[in-house]
Amino acid sequence: MDQEMNQPVVGAVPAGARDRESAARAVREMFTSIAPRYDLLNHVLSFNVDRLWWWRNARKFDAILQNPEARVLDLCCGTGDMTFALRRRARSRAAQILGADFSHAMLQRAASKGKGSMPRSPQWIEADALRLPFPNGHFNLVTSAFGFRNLADYDAGLLEIARVLAPGGECGILDFGAPAGIIGKCYRIYFKKILPAIGTVLSGVRGPYAYLPASVERFPSPDEMLGRMHQAGFREVSWTPYTFGVAGLYRGVKSV
Ligand SMILES: C[S@@+](CC[C@H](N)C(=O)[O-])C[C@H]1O[C@@H](n2cnc3c(N)ncnc32)[C@H](O)[C@@H]1O
């Protein structure tokens, strides 16, 4: 076993995972098992707010997307909804929009959704976010929607994003948060009790919808996450809450 494998996991730890490799394997198997129903569940469980979040997120990066030479990577793209939102906002067909995920089944669904639906579909790449098959400094923007939280090592994920970004390039990570106050209380009841029950019935698989609230609970607070981004080489780091903090966008610019 190499040294990397002995390091403590600072990232997602699905039930039964012992190290980075087994955590990643469990996450991949989990998403592969729910791929056929993933979109339906997303829309039902979020009351369709997910569509608004993807659109709003893509709009935040208009300055980059309107550059005809933009190179954009949507990490952990799943069935591609964030990637499609980016593609729609890119002004030029020449802009390169790529979606990457390590679950083949999720990518297959993304590819079939893209067929004939827009003038230039995104490109899809099967790849692990912790070992991206791209050269240093290749992208102007790297996004991830509800995917980063599932990485087995958050710091390694941030370093890999920083590696593939060009100096001055931007990173945008959209993920769940923990709303405060009375809204937070109601939301936690929904998220921890009702959502896993509905998710289990609709998907026919128990694990993933119990894992979801647990993974959100383990995820660093906004302050901690911004500190980690800073350490990974990002400046101008910020967090913008969406929908009372149910979700939020982490942004950073790769230092020149
Ligand atoms: C909750 S889904 C999000 C999908 C999509 N971005 C969305 O907004 O609906 C998380 C995705 O992250 C992918 N994923 C998790 N860890 C990954 C890794 N290390 N490398 C690549 N993809 C990963 C999973 O396969 C899954 O498709």
Side-chain angles (χ1 to χ4, degrees):
M1 202 181 264
D2 61 19
Q3 203 188 354
E4 199 183 48
M5 298 264 297
N6 285 326
Q7 285 173 359
V9 173
V10 185
V13 185
R18 296 169 315 280
D19 51 36
R20 239 172 76 153
E21 301 304 317
S22 60
R25 201 167 39 248
V27 165
R28 188 169 58 237
E29 284 167 5
M30 197 164 56
F31 282 104
T32 297
S33 75
I34 57 168
R37 303 221 124 187
Y38 179 79
D39 285 342
L40 170 74
L41 277 152
N42 250 1
H43 303 327
V44 170
L45 295 173
S46 74
F47 308 101
N48 256 335
V49 178
D50 53 351
R51 296 179 200 271
L52 175 72
W53 288 335
W54 291 314
W55 170 79
R56 187 173 168 192
N57 218 39
R59 198 182 53 163
K60 296 258 180 199
F61 296 102
D62 270 352
I64 294 174
L65 292 168
Q66 296 191 359
N67 174 357
E69 287 170 12
R71 289 180 179 167
V72 178
L73 173 66
D74 182 36
L75 265 188
C76 304
C77 66
T79 59
D81 286 309
M82 181 72 236
T83 328
F84 289 120
L86 293 163
R87 179 71 265 171
R88 281 188 202 102
R89 290 205 76 84
R91 175 162 294 174
S92 164
R93 289 180 59 173
Q96 236 186 67
I97 315 284
L98 273 73
D101 200 286
F102 70 0
S103 163
H104 187 73
M106 295 290 266
L107 282 179
Q108 272 183 323
R109 300 196 82 81
S112 66
K113 276 158 66 176
K115 272 189 195 134
S117 66
M118 48 181 57
R120 188 176 171 198
S121 178
Q123 291 167 267
W124 308 107
I125 289 168
E126 195 169 327
D128 187 331
L130 300 184
R131 289 181 212 95
L132 291 170
F134 303 109
N136 296 351
H138 188 72
F139 293 100
N140 308 105
L141 170 65
V142 176
T143 60
S144 181
F146 309 106
F148 184 87
R149 173 180 31 89
N150 301 292
L151 299 188
D153 186 331
Y154 300 139
D155 295 324
L158 288 171
L159 287 173
E160 190 61 347
I161 293 173
R163 183 186 71 76
V164 299
L165 274 174
E170 286 201 49
C171 155
I173 296 171
L174 173 64
D175 223 309
F176 289 112
I182 184 78
I183 290 178
K185 275 193 183 150
C186 300
Y187 174 71
R188 271 185 287 284
I189 294 172
Y190 171 71
F191 203 60
K192 286 178 152 178
K193 305 265 183 239
I194 303 171
L195 180 147
I198 302 175
T200 302
V201 171
L202 290 186
S203 68
V205 190
R206 192 182 134 57
Y209 290 92
Y211 159 81
L212 175 60
S215 69
V216 173
E217 238 166 33
R218 277 184 61 86
F219 196 61
S221 66
D223 277 351
E224 185 188 332
M225 182 66 188
L226 294 177
R228 288 179 184 274
M229 289 176 73
H230 192 72
Q231 272 200 327
F234 292 96
R235 58 183 167 80
E236 294 171 47
V237 294
S238 65
W239 178 71
T240 307
Y242 289 0
T243 320
F244 308 109
V246 167
L249 171 65
Y250 295 93
R251 283 182 87 155
V253 178
K254 180 178 169 177
S255 300
V256 177

